[in-house]
Amino acid sequence: MLHIKCPHCGLRSQNEFSYGGDATVKRPELNKEVSDQDWDNFVYLRKSPRGKHLELWQHISGCRQWIKVERDTLTHEIFKTLKANEKV
Amino acid sequence: MQKYSVFSLIKNAFKGHKDWQLAWKDPTPKAEYDVIIIGGGGHGLATAYYLAKEHSITKVAIIEKGWIGGGNVGRNTTIIRSNYMHDENGLFSEFGMNLWRNMSQDLNFNVMFSPRGIINLAHSDAQMNTYSRRGNSMRLNGIDAVLLNREEVRKIIPMADFSENVRFPIFGGLMQPSAGTARHDAVAWGYARQADSMGVDIIQNCEVTGFDISKGKILGIRTSKGNIKAKKIGLCVAGSTNILAEKLNMKLPIETHLLQACVSEPIKPILDNVVTFGAGHFYCSQSDKGEMVMGGDLDGYNSYAQRGNLPTLQHVLTEGIAMFPFLSKLKMLRTWGGIMDMSMDGSPIIDKTHIKGLYLNCGWCYGGFKATPASGWTFAHTIAQDRPHELNEGYSLNRFSTGHLIDEKGLGTKTWIS
């Protein structure tokens, strides 16, 4: 069981959260010419590293806020949790 | 190579089983090969076997970080099926079914292929409609499919929950009678033994640390046992694909996730099919030893841990008990996990890459084991001929940027959502 410290609610168990994937992918900017390659990169391509991974979770059974979690994908150690708009 | 048969078994029994040859050798790597396959799992071993058998390419090495068959080919729930709706998946898997049917004879190794049939349960009228559509698509592709109503399902699996007041009543199901199971370890060992006998070097405990590439062409690999040159290199490393892709400066439409499976204590024969729950993600069969073999959802977040977390297992088994209430009385014998190469549309990739001489086989999601022979066969063809076979043309790497996805489950890019 992962224990995730929600920056709004404190330490809660994994059951209260739902996973949202890689937090480092950036949507191409609005109202600008976007190449197919850029879309491909945003929608499909992922690094999926073994080790530190910055990812999105939603505290779905709590405050319902999206948060960022820095977690080790091999050991599941959680280094840091942040509000969605905070930078690492 | 020693031929395995009932006669050789009797002969060796009289000698106290002291004269059996090793099934494969333990060679030191040569300086150069025609083809190197990275990954000594089912797909890698099958690829090497079909390179030697179908294309007479025998100067081949398999490089394995651990021991052969120690990854997902030894960690799956052994289900073999071709019950797909899309042509690409259906024709590819049905080609594989024919290889499965002849595998024990072909490899001279009993893989215990047991075509016991798979039933996907339906729990609503809408789901029955979906299944009837999928069944029709399967039959158009020459795959056997039978739509069962509630009473027909009850005759086959009377132990399922057929009471009236359940949350997900059984409306019927879609059955593929020719689907089944096989002894997973035997598949890896059978391919390894035959590949070895035809001259393939199986090199274990050898980790790939880097690649030598010059002017867009692959020259060889760097490993923990030294540098090895090769004209062609095939990647068959499932959940470790992204780790090697990083060394190649490639970003792939793949995430690595963890999938768990478990077996109960052995019980007397009760279930002689593979059955899947239609209102969630749970599948179940009974092994020859009597254990109930069960699996379901991914853990749901990127993971290389090769072992799972309890919340997911609990969730999966809740579905299992909803389907087969008797499971609640059983004790759990073992649980384990493997790391899956989850592609962004749920379908695999068998293709060339932008690096000349480098070939990619990955993205198997939940269905790697049953694809073992077809994957090896088509990947061997792709490497030997330097172009995909028509069976794996659809499994291209660029289908994501061109929009030709094979989205069997309609999950889009979130194959880790269940």
Side-chain angles (χ1 to χ4, degrees):
Chain A
M1 175 85 79
L2 303 181
H3 290 108
I4 301 171
K5 191 180 163 196
C6 172
H8 309 281
C9 314
L11 199 66
R12 299 297 177 93
S13 77
Q14 169 196 341
N15 289 348
E16 295 187 12
F17 294 84
S18 106
Y19 184 64
D22 193 332
T24 62
V25 280
K26 277 215 172 68
R27 191 188 187 285
E29 276 190 57
L30 281 173
N31 306 323
K32 279 203 178 145
E33 189 72 20
V34 180
S35 68
D36 286 357
Q37 193 54 51
D38 288 343
W39 278 122
D40 190 31
N41 203 35
F42 164 64
V43 181
Y44 298 116
L45 304 185
R46 297 289 180 271
K47 266 185 92 175
S48 189
R50 179 173 60 180
K52 264 190 191 174
H53 188 230
L54 190 69
E55 55 203 20
L56 292 167
W57 289 77
Q58 190 187 10
H59 195 184
I60 193 127
S61 306
C63 62
R64 301 190 63 81
Q65 295 293 314
W66 284 93
I67 61 167
K68 281 182 190 162
V69 177
E70 194 180 45
R71 184 181 57 94
D72 192 306
T73 58
L74 185 62
T75 62
H76 296 327
E77 183 182 350
I78 292 171
F79 305 104
K80 210 185 272 179
T81 54
L82 301 155
K83 292 175 186 167
N85 59 358
E86 282 178 327
K87 291 219 158 61
V88 182
Chain B
M1 187 184 64
Q2 224 170 10
K3 193 171 155 50
Y4 291 164
S5 69
V6 65
F7 303 109
S8 67
L9 186 65
I10 293 166
K11 202 175 99 189
N12 279 283
F14 280 115
K15 294 181 189 167
H17 293 296
K18 282 175 192 148
D19 290 346
W20 289 110
Q21 292 169 5
L22 285 178
W24 52 84
K25 296 177 283 290
D26 186 20
T28 46
K30 297 189 185 88
E32 188 173 359
Y33 291 94
D34 289 340
V35 180
I36 289 176
I37 304 295
I38 303 172
H43 291 222
L45 294 161
T47 304
Y49 169 69
Y50 290 115
L51 275 173
K53 185 185 174 222
E54 305 285 339
H55 306 280
S56 305
I57 300 173
T58 55
K59 220 179 148 195
V60 176
I62 293 170
I63 307 293
E64 167 56 47
K65 182 177 69 175
W67 59 94
I68 58 165
N72 295 340
V73 71
R75 293 166 188 260
N76 56 77
T77 47
T78 79
I79 298 165
I80 293 160
R81 60 191 174 83
S82 58
N83 54 357
Y84 287 100
M85 188 174 81
H86 289 301
D87 289 350
E88 292 91 343
N89 290 332
L91 295 171
F92 177 88
S93 305
E94 186 58 16
F95 176 80
M97 291 302 290
N98 285 323
L99 296 173
W100 278 113
R101 288 176 194 118
N102 299 317
M103 191 182 286
S104 291
Q105 284 73 28
D106 190 29
L107 298 181
N108 180 229
F109 204 108
N110 188 1
V111 300
M112 296 164 75
F113 176 55
S114 162
R116 56 182 69 186
I118 185 166
I119 301 171
N120 302 131
L121 293 180
H123 307 276
S124 66
D125 283 327
Q127 207 167 12
M128 284 299 280
N129 290 342
T130 315
Y131 281 173
S132 117
R133 180 179 177 221
R134 171 144 66 98
N136 284 333
S137 302
M138 287 165 61
R139 292 172 75 129
L140 286 171
N141 281 334
I143 304 162
D144 56 328
V146 186
L147 195 66
L148 306 171
N149 63 28
R150 182 175 161 91
E151 287 315 308
E152 287 164 330
V153 172
R154 194 203 292 263
K155 270 189 201 133
I156 303 173
I157 47 166
M159 73 300 255
D161 194 346
F162 283 94
S163 46
E164 298 291 336
N165 58 350
V166 291
R167 173 68 184 83
F168 299 108
I170 295 168
F171 275 56
L174 181 67
M175 182 172 191
Q176 185 191 4
S178 68
T181 60
R183 168 99 174 87
H184 53 188
D185 293 325
V187 175
W189 298 334
Y191 275 124
R193 177 168 162 268
Q194 285 293 343
D196 174 89
S197 79
M198 287 188 281
V200 173
D201 280 356
I202 298 171
I203 298 154
Q204 305 183 72
N205 300 310
C206 178
E207 185 172 358
V208 173
T209 54
F211 295 86
D212 287 322
I213 300 165
S214 168
K215 292 174 190 154
K217 194 174 177 303
I218 199 96
L219 302 175
I221 54 170
R222 280 169 256 155
T223 77
S224 54
K225 293 188 178 180
N227 296 355
I228 311 172
K229 282 189 208 161
K231 294 179 195 77
K232 293 177 174 182
I233 290 171
L235 256 58
C236 278
V237 293
S240 302
T241 303
N242 282 304
I243 300 170
L244 290 185
E246 200 183 346
K247 295 183 201 296
L248 289 157
N249 291 322
M250 284 170 80
K251 247 170 126 184
L252 296 172
I254 289 196
E255 283 188 14
T256 295
H257 284 254
L258 188 115
L259 182 61
Q260 298 191 65
C262 57
V263 293
S264 73
E265 58 185 326
I267 53 172
K268 286 185 177 176
I270 181 164
L271 180 64
D272 47 10
N273 311 95
V274 182
V275 184
T276 73
F277 186 56
H281 198 177
F282 173 82
Y283 37 90
C284 185
S285 64
Q286 190 170 18
S287 75
D288 292 333
K289 287 183 282 185
E291 303 150 336
M292 304 305 291
V293 185
M294 300 170 281
D297 281 320
L298 297 169
D299 269 24
Y301 41 87
N302 294 43
S303 175
Y304 284 89
Q306 284 196 313
R307 64 191 151 77
N309 247 328
L310 269 179
T312 305
L313 203 58
Q314 199 171 26
H315 168 74
V316 166
L317 291 171
T318 307
E319 294 175 13
I321 291 165
M323 184 169 93
F324 290 142
F326 78 93
L327 290 177
S328 69
K329 306 287 181 213
L330 301 183
K331 292 189 181 70
M332 189 72 78
L333 191 64
R334 285 193 309 279
T335 79
W336 65 93
I339 51 172
M340 308 292 120
D341 33 342
M342 301 302 292
S343 70
M344 290 289 172
D345 62 354
S347 296
I349 296 160
I350 307 178
D351 203 0
K352 298 162 68 170
T353 64
H354 70 282
I355 300 166
K356 199 172 156 38
L358 185 78
Y359 304 84
L360 192 61
N361 179 334
C362 61
W364 290 99
C365 300
Y366 299 94
F369 176 67
K370 60 131 208 301
T372 305
S375 163
W377 196 94
T378 53
F379 196 40
H381 182 280
T382 307
I383 294 172
Q385 311 279 333
D386 196 35
R387 62 184 163 83
H389 188 267
E390 60 182 35
L391 283 168
N392 65 310
E393 258 176 345
Y395 293 159
S396 66
L397 180 55
N398 71 359
R399 70 174 184 270
F400 299 91
S401 54
T402 63
H404 295 86
L405 303 190
I406 311 170
D407 196 356
E408 188 82 29
K409 289 206 171 137
L411 288 175
T413 59
K414 303 284 188 287
T415 39
W416 33 267
I417 288 180
S418 46

